[in-house]
Amino acid sequence: MFRYNEDMVGHIFDYCRERLSFDPVTLDFSGEKEALDAALAGLMRPEGNDHEKVLKVFADHLAPAVISCDSPRFLAFIPAAPTRASMLFDMIVSCSSLQGSSWLEAAGAVAAENQALRVLADVAGLPPEAGGVFVSGGSAANLSALAVARDTASRRGGWRRRRLRVAVSDQTHSSIRNALRILDMEELVVATTEHRLTGENLRAALASHRHRGDVVAVAATAGTTNAGIVDDLAGIADVAAEKNLWFHVDGAYGGAALLAPGARHLFRGVGRADSFVVDPHKWLFAPFDCAALLYRNPALAKTVHTQQASYLDVFHEGPGWNPSDYAYHLTRRARGLALWFSLAVHGTDAYSTAVEAAMAMATQAAARIEAAEHLELVRQPGLSIVLFRRPGWEAADYHRWSRELLAAQVGFVTPTAWQGETVARFAFLHPDTTVEMVDEILATMK
Ligand SMILES: *Cc1c(COP(=O)(O)O)cnc(C)c1O
């Protein structure tokens, strides 16, 4: 099974070539468990199977049971739109078994990943000494960053006997709350003003909080996933500096808009973050799974995350950057290389244009909704997200409509909740989404 098999290489490359050529990518469907179980039955057996047969099971039964998040008609959750360059380079990462744990083993990969991280640090305005690592997703990045926030505060203040708290807003992403639970920390939930956390909100919440000293960090959101709202980062940074709090910025979805000159003003203050997260697998057009985690002072993260084991001592004897030291992992795929290649090939201007296209589509969709008699805009778009309602519809109507839309392959749009009301939501990201597609979807809501 370790031999080069020209036949298998041919079949797999043919499949990839065809998938890469889809224009546009079809939406496809969710799956039925019975049908999938039947297709998979008997494949795991001592003598194995012909590779063509297994590939055919994938192509005929499994692939169509995965909704394509890289379809321009995928407008639910947060879509994906990896560039061809990034998808192709991901194949190189696999075919070369490129890992990116330590400088000793993988200096070439690590140097390139760091070059891509530097682009993100620069647009965020982080200082030259900032650095970090690509992890599997925003959830992993938030967890790793908040672990550093906690341990840095513990070392500084000796709070060991008390549970430490992180100030979050009522709009904070679920992964932050999950991370706090895992880290045995508590949240101080700060009320927002029009769903946006401001410095004033934070200051007031800290002033009325009884156990003042136990709040050690604040987690701001740079682009809420539900509505695209960016917190008052500059105001929050002021309070964080004043109260000696770790300033974490979760830009997993929205951070990409830093590349759009027209949106940059929304992020004023992000350069003062102690830790900053942005997911290239979302709006920076990289394949799954890829999240960038940057620290203002990486040495603090290194103290927290470096694993000590005799067989690893050689990692730390030489010079160079060990990505393993900056999150809770050890072995890691050089997952930042796909982004690196695509950025180097296409240039940052192409990224700015593509990010702006999604925001322009949100603006256009909002105008169509405002002009439609049967629809209402819930609020002006936030970054590339549009919330809207169909007056007269209840939750069940939105869910039925969403299912029918997918069944007809017109779009994948899922409802969300806004102030207790079920509403429809577009998340734009794919540069090939057109206003005609939006019109087609809106017409189904009459
Ligand atoms: C998507 C998202 C996350 C989680 O990122 P994953 O890559 O899905 O783990 C965290 N925060 C925000 C704001 C997000 O949009």
Side-chain angles (χ1 to χ4, degrees):
M1 66 181 170
F2 298 101
R3 231 171 260 136
Y4 180 80
N5 177 340
E6 182 59 54
D7 198 41
M8 178 150 60
V9 170
H11 285 121
I12 298 275
F13 277 36
D14 285 351
Y15 181 92
C16 292
R17 194 172 277 116
E18 193 190 346
R19 180 58 169 79
L20 285 164
S21 74
F22 283 1
D23 186 16
V25 170
T26 51
L27 254 182
D28 292 332
F29 304 90
S30 195
E32 303 281 344
K33 184 165 190 314
E34 293 73 27
L36 291 169
D37 284 348
L40 290 166
L43 281 180
M44 294 299 135
R45 51 183 198 160
E47 65 275 35
N49 300 278
D50 178 60
H51 75 259
E52 263 192 275
K53 177 184 156 189
V54 184
L55 186 58
K56 200 165 151 49
V57 170
F58 172 73
D60 294 351
H61 300 282
L62 308 184
V66 178
I67 304 172
S68 307
C69 31
D70 56 343
S71 161
R73 291 177 182 273
F74 188 115
L75 305 174
F77 313 118
I78 298 291
T83 64
R84 260 72 170 190
S86 69
M87 289 190 274
L88 284 163
F89 204 84
D90 221 32
M91 289 177 68
I92 295 189
V93 174
S94 289
C95 293
S96 314
S97 305
L98 286 185
Q99 59 113 317
S101 307
S102 69
W103 186 263
L104 171 69
E105 296 165 282
V110 174
E113 283 192 310
N114 285 350
Q115 189 179 30
L117 283 173
R118 190 66 242 166
V119 171
L120 302 176
D122 282 342
V123 291
L126 286 165
E129 62 280 8
V133 60
F134 289 102
V135 295
S136 63
S139 307
N142 285 331
L143 175 61
S144 296
L146 292 171
V148 180
R150 182 194 63 181
D151 289 6
T152 302
S154 300
R155 264 198 316 282
R156 208 174 44 213
W159 299 111
R160 263 168 235 100
R161 265 170 283 119
R162 273 202 248 162
R163 278 176 102 197
L164 301 180
R165 280 174 216 261
V166 175
V168 301
S169 85
D170 49 22
Q171 303 296 305
T172 295
H173 192 265
S174 49
S175 62
I176 298 260
R177 303 209 153 149
N178 206 37
L180 295 182
R181 209 155 20 84
I182 294 169
L183 293 167
D184 199 26
M185 296 174 88
E186 283 188 45
E187 41 188 70
L188 172 69
V189 181
V190 182
T192 48
T193 304
E194 291 177 355
H195 307 272
R196 184 168 177 261
L197 179 64
T198 65
E200 254 172 74
N201 299 145
L202 176 61
R203 199 188 302 280
L206 289 171
S208 64
H209 176 55
R210 273 179 302 151
H211 319 281
R212 215 162 288 177
D214 60 4
V215 180
V216 296
V218 54
T221 312
T224 59
T225 320
N226 203 29
I229 297 166
V230 183
D231 287 342
D232 164 29
L233 303 178
I236 296 166
D238 287 343
V239 179
E242 215 175 280
K243 309 281 183 193
N244 210 7
L245 306 181
W246 181 278
F247 177 34
H248 177 69
V249 177
D250 177 6
Y253 150 66
L258 279 165
L259 278 149
R264 214 168 272 174
H265 66 279
L266 298 171
F267 295 84
R268 216 167 48 80
V270 67
R272 294 161 68 191
D274 291 300
S275 48
F276 171 61
V277 173
V278 54
D279 275 11
H281 70 208
K282 287 181 173 169
W283 203 3
L284 286 175
F285 316 109
F288 302 119
D289 50 0
C290 186
L293 165 58
L294 287 159
Y295 301 96
R296 159 177 300 278
N297 179 356
L300 294 174
K302 192 172 173 182
T303 309
V304 172
H305 287 299
T306 298
Q307 298 189 21
Q308 307 292 345
S310 356
Y311 80 100
L312 294 176
D313 286 349
V314 288
F315 271 17
H316 303 291
E317 279 160 8
W321 189 265
N322 294 318
S324 293
D325 293 344
Y326 299 95
Y328 63 73
H329 52 202
L330 183 60
T331 304
R332 59 179 291 279
R333 177 179 158 82
R335 57 167 65 85
L337 284 186
L339 173 68
W340 166 81
F341 181 75
S342 185
L343 267 174
V345 168
H346 295 299
T348 49
D349 282 356
Y351 278 74
S352 299
T353 304
V355 169
E356 284 188 321
M359 288 192 290
M361 188 51 60
T363 307
Q364 279 191 65
R368 298 302 239 238
I369 290 160
E370 282 190 305
E373 303 236 313
H374 64 297
L375 299 171
E376 270 175 24
L377 202 57
V378 171
R379 61 189 305 280
Q380 288 302 318
L383 300 178
S384 68
I385 295 180
V386 185
L387 299 178
F388 59 107
R389 68 169 66 84
R390 161 68 164 80
W393 275 15
E394 306 200 340
D397 299 307
Y398 286 99
H399 288 281
R400 180 184 37 77
W401 163 75
S402 173
R403 279 193 303 274
E404 288 172 3
L405 207 57
L406 178 65
Q409 297 283 285
V410 172
F412 185 47
V413 184
T414 47
T416 188
W418 184 254
Q419 299 183 335
E421 176 192 359
T422 301
V423 299
R425 171 178 174 276
F426 283 143
F428 294 105
L429 189 155
H430 203 300
D432 291 344
T433 304
T434 62
V435 76
E436 287 74 23
M437 291 176 191
V438 171
D439 285 342
E440 203 184 332
I441 292 167
L442 297 179
T444 63
M445 300 178 91
K446 284 224 168 96

